[in-house]
Amino acid sequence: MVARRVASSVAQKHVRFLTVVPAATARGLVAAVYRQVAEEFQIVVPPALLHSPSDDVLAAYWTLTREPLLPAGVVDRAVKEAVAATVSVANTCPYCADLHVAGLFELSDERDAEAIAADRPDEIADIRIRRFVQWARGAHRADGPPLPAEVSEVERAELVGVVVGFHYLSRVVNVFLANSLLPQGLGPRARRRLNQGLGRVLRPTLRGQHLAGRATRLLDAAPPTSDVSWASGSPRIADAMARSYRVFEVAGERSLDPAVRSLVVTRLDGWAGEDAGLSTRWCEELIEPLTAPQRAAARLALLTAFASYRVGPEVVEDFRRHHPADATLVDVAAWASFAAARRIGVRQSAHEEKNGGRPRRDNGAVVPRES
């Protein structure tokens, strides 16, 4: 118990820009989510803490990321961890990449894990993992590769679910957490030893049993929407997505001006998955016609959606001058991250339509297309 309290205290210090709800004083929905997170990760992890000022968004984050990744499904956990790590690398999120690469030290080959961390997917020896990593690395792009043809509808729901969840999470983590989980400046041997040790620490989470649908029950039921058609092969994941999507939309409606939301959505409409680059001139040009409070919110939302690694103290401080509440800050960053991740899920459905749809499947098994 003492070790867990110390770990929880350290975890809280990873969060910046916010005053988190401590586990010891959490009540209601925050306490319910914390309880699930602690039971499955041994402590309340920093990504959960950073969402705590906005309780429904906390539950939505947990549902969005937990349900595709943790419960046993058709796709094995090593592949899902590889996909999560790859998306984190694609979004320049070393914190998430460190964690999921360490998980692969426990579940897979260490050299394959290091190839993912170094963004060298062609060097992965495991053919199955390599193919899914190559897909995940370009899943956000309009010209990205489709999933392998033999993937079943259930597998697609799980894999795209992980991609959507981690395109969301890596953006939020880039805004609110420290730059890296592991110490900076480590040599290859020291980094490998730390990854081996962290992998062993994560073993109960990586190899434990996780009840499907547990997080979903924290959120109210919501009707399915067309933009989660990629999850149709798994009613469980489709339900989790619908419920969490609805919460993120409500968060955007209560905390962002409609003009700001429209600006972000319009730019997403024209986004082909390209990196925004180091300059933020594009952002400043887009927000110039807005009022000062709108500009501050739009800058945070646009950078979070398209270049989350560029959100620094000055962006948050300007936002705080007009919108001081922690809950509003979480809502805006969460909505922007969700809007980008949601668009990537839609893009995956478009890839399937472009490639002529997929064969009909029964219970995850491929069935030949009817002539």
Side-chain angles (χ1 to χ4, degrees):
M1 289 297 293
V2 172
R4 182 174 294 187
R5 284 197 297 271
V6 171
S8 296
S9 175
V10 171
Q12 289 183 40
K13 294 177 182 177
H14 283 208
V15 182
R16 59 181 187 168
F17 306 139
L18 297 166
T19 300
V20 305
V21 177
T25 60
R27 299 291 183 269
L29 185 56
V30 174
V33 177
Y34 277 8
R35 189 159 47 248
Q36 288 193 11
V37 173
E39 287 170 358
E40 300 198 294
F41 284 97
Q42 315 309 310
I43 65 167
V44 180
V45 293
L49 292 167
L50 74 85
H51 287 88
S52 63
S54 183
D55 59 355
D56 58 342
V57 170
L58 168 63
Y61 132 77
W62 178 234
T63 301
L64 183 77
T65 57
R66 178 198 186 273
E67 292 302 326
L69 180 69
L70 297 189
V74 179
V75 181
D76 68 78
R77 182 67 182 272
V79 169
K80 292 193 283 188
E81 288 290 327
V83 168
T86 299
V87 171
S88 303
V89 169
N91 283 319
T92 319
C93 181
Y95 192 101
C96 291
D98 286 348
L99 182 65
H100 295 283
V101 165
L104 288 169
F105 267 66
E106 170 66 21
L107 294 173
S108 184
D109 180 83
E110 293 181 1
R111 286 182 172 79
D112 284 356
E114 290 172 340
I116 292 171
D119 201 13
R120 296 195 294 264
D122 293 345
E123 297 179 10
I124 298 170
D126 187 309
I127 295 173
R128 177 173 167 79
I129 288 180
R130 186 199 314 150
R131 294 179 70 193
F132 287 120
V133 164
Q134 289 169 334
W135 161 75
R137 185 62 180 83
H140 60 289
R141 300 198 315 263
D143 62 351
L147 275 164
E150 69 274 13
V151 168
S152 73
E153 294 293 342
V154 179
E155 289 174 313
R156 180 166 70 123
E158 293 177 9
L159 289 163
V160 178
V162 174
V163 162
V164 168
F166 279 84
H167 269 288
Y168 168 82
L169 184 59
S170 58
R171 284 168 166 81
V172 175
V173 164
N174 270 342
V175 173
F176 292 111
L177 295 189
N179 287 336
S180 180
L181 183 63
L182 300 181
Q184 298 296 301
L186 293 174
R189 292 180 63 184
R191 178 169 287 269
R192 179 173 290 184
R193 286 197 299 270
L194 271 177
N195 275 322
Q196 290 167 341
L198 184 54
R200 286 192 293 271
V201 170
L202 293 170
R203 186 176 296 162
T205 297
L206 295 167
R207 298 191 180 278
Q209 297 297 311
H210 303 277
L211 180 66
R214 188 183 186 203
T216 308
R217 293 192 288 271
L218 295 167
L219 300 175
D220 291 337
T225 57
S226 59
D227 55 3
V228 294
S229 61
W230 52 265
S232 60
S234 171
R236 173 180 66 82
I237 291 178
D239 183 36
M241 296 300 112
R243 294 183 191 222
S244 57
Y245 275 31
R246 177 58 186 153
V247 171
F248 290 123
E249 282 292 1
V250 169
E253 290 167 3
R254 73 186 172 216
S255 294
L256 272 173
D257 188 290
V260 174
R261 298 202 310 276
S262 177
L263 185 64
V264 175
V265 170
T266 299
R267 192 169 197 279
L268 281 168
D269 286 342
W271 180 56
E274 69 278 8
D275 187 87
L278 295 178
S279 172
T280 59
R281 183 176 178 180
W282 61 271
C283 178
E284 297 305 315
E285 290 175 349
L286 283 173
I287 67 177
E288 196 276 332
L290 302 176
T291 66
Q294 289 173 329
R295 282 199 302 272
R299 183 183 293 110
L300 173 63
L302 284 165
L303 290 178
T304 299
F306 297 101
S308 56
Y309 50 87
R310 296 305 307 275
V311 177
E314 67 286 349
V315 173
V316 176
E317 288 167 9
D318 187 42
F319 178 85
R320 289 282 207 181
R321 277 193 284 272
H322 305 281
H323 315 280
D326 279 352
T328 305
L329 178 58
V330 171
D331 281 355
V332 171
W335 178 84
S337 299
F338 153 74
R342 180 183 202 168
R343 187 57 54 94
I344 291 162
V346 171
R347 186 160 286 163
Q348 285 301 307
S349 296
H351 284 333
E352 299 308 329
E353 293 172 6
K354 181 179 178 181
N355 286 277
R358 305 184 69 80
R360 179 172 56 83
R361 276 97 170 163
D362 295 327
N363 298 323
V366 176
V367 177
R369 190 186 305 277
E370 296 173 351
S371 58

